Amino acid sequence: MKKYKVGVIGATGMVGQRFLTLLSGHPWFECVVLAASSRSAGKPYAEAVAGKWRLPVDMPAEFANIVVKDAEADAEEIAGTVDFVFCAVDMKKEDIRALEEKYAKLECPVVSNNSAHRFTPDVPMIVPEINADHAKVIPFQRQRLGTKRGFIAVKSNCSLQSYVPALHPLRQFGLEKALVCTYQAISGAGKTFESWPEMLDNVIPYIGGEEEKSEKEPLKLWGKIENGIIVPAESPSFTAQCLRVPVSDGHMAAVYASFKELPELEEVINIWNNYKGRAQELNLPSAPKQFLQYFEEDNRPQTKLDRGREGGMGVSIGRLRKDTQYDIKFVCLSHNTLRGAAGGAVLMAELLCSEGYMDQFELR
């Protein structure tokens, strides 16, 4: 695999910082451009994030002296320097949509952590182990944008990474409906306990926009390409409640599900433990060897113990049992800034590189 030069747009925020920790030493990607708002532009990266580094690991030293670019004003220069960019900006949705399309039209592919384009019909929202085939919509998006190489691909909401992977291989039993309650870490809001002391000893039963995303986005992931767009699946029906809990990292979900054909519990566990997706088939650098792991212990998975499994890229499942209202219930856990955010985007970029989408210069 050739070495790709990449940039991080929104490099000073928490997800941007996480991108840098993952790109440091990456076997395929060399991060050569960091960009952010005009407030940070012109400063060495270390100065731009001074007092604002929010991760429990040190800032990779190789980025300290890179001068931060202006994500908007320097877009043409950035697009001409890199093979593609990761985007994790904090802006209004309409501004994000415009910025990402600007880069795409400059023939610079965009792998986005933002939600702004998740429901643009010809923009794939990819979890590589679930719907890698949605990348096939990219040539249609290029036709709309008038590009030969540029496109936008997005990752799904971070909370989905806990429960959708667990439900996905069970769709063979005719998944009809699901109820999900998520318990989401404060890093999902870009916060630490130092910056958000109100979260200590507290639970907030509301996260703006989260429940709608949790109910709608799985249906796009499970949709199909028709006439150049992704048509969301019509089922299962989802209902969700999303709570912010006093945890630094790791989103947990309590899931209830009903099926047309009731599966045996042992069969479900066997399916989970042996499931592999396209990321595992391709042996992508960031892909977990075991994507889904079931814990037999009654008190697992636990956020503190299990969020870092497989380098934070695995999904942990436990407490599978029959339910009185639904057919089955279980809990699951994923690391929200690794599998759920930057790590999921890096894995998606690896998939797109491996499948040749970063190297296309003609309409397919």
Side-chain angles (χ1 to χ4, degrees), residues 127-131 168 275-280 287-288 291 339 347:
V127 178
E129 291 89 349
I130 292 176
N131 64 333
H168 177 68
Y275 181 77
K276 295 182 185 299
R278 185 63 174 155
Q280 286 70 40
F291 181 37
R339 164 55 71 169
L347 183 62

Side-chain angles (χ1 to χ4, degrees), residues 7-25 31 33-36 39-40 44-64 68 86-90 113-114 187 189-192 194-195 249 335-338 341-343 345-346:
V8 176
I9 311 300
T12 56
M14 180 177 277
V15 175
Q17 293 171 17
R18 182 63 79 179
F19 270 122
L20 298 193
T21 67
L22 296 174
L23 294 172
S24 177
C31 183
V33 173
L34 307 179
R39 296 187 303 274
S40 298
Y45 185 72
E47 180 182 338
V49 297
K52 303 175 186 177
W53 186 260
R54 301 173 186 172
L55 301 184
V57 295
D58 290 339
M59 179 187 69
E62 67 261 38
F63 301 119
V68 177
F86 294 102
C87 190
V89 294
D90 183 11
N113 187 72
N114 301 300
S187 57
K191 302 288 188 178
T192 64
E194 289 74 23
S195 63
D249 294 301
H335 195 299
N336 57 296
T337 68
L338 289 168
V346 170

Side-chain angles (χ1 to χ4, degrees), residues 40-115:
S40 298
K43 300 176 183 177
Y45 185 72
E47 180 182 338
V49 297
K52 303 175 186 177
W53 186 260
R54 301 173 186 172
L55 301 184
V57 295
D58 290 339
M59 179 187 69
E62 67 261 38
F63 301 119
N65 294 320
I66 294 180
V67 176
V68 177
K69 300 288 186 183
D70 186 315
E72 295 183 271
D74 298 329
E76 189 167 349
E77 177 189 349
I78 294 167
T81 303
V82 301
D83 293 304
F84 66 91
V85 295
F86 294 102
C87 190
V89 294
D90 183 11
M91 301 165 63
K92 293 179 180 179
K93 284 192 177 183
E94 57 266 30
D95 295 333
I96 295 173
R97 282 193 286 268
L99 182 67
E100 292 181 344
E101 287 207 359
K102 181 177 183 178
Y103 275 88
K105 288 178 179 179
L106 288 168
E107 300 293 359
C108 180
V110 178
V111 178
S112 177
N113 187 72
N114 301 300
S115 64

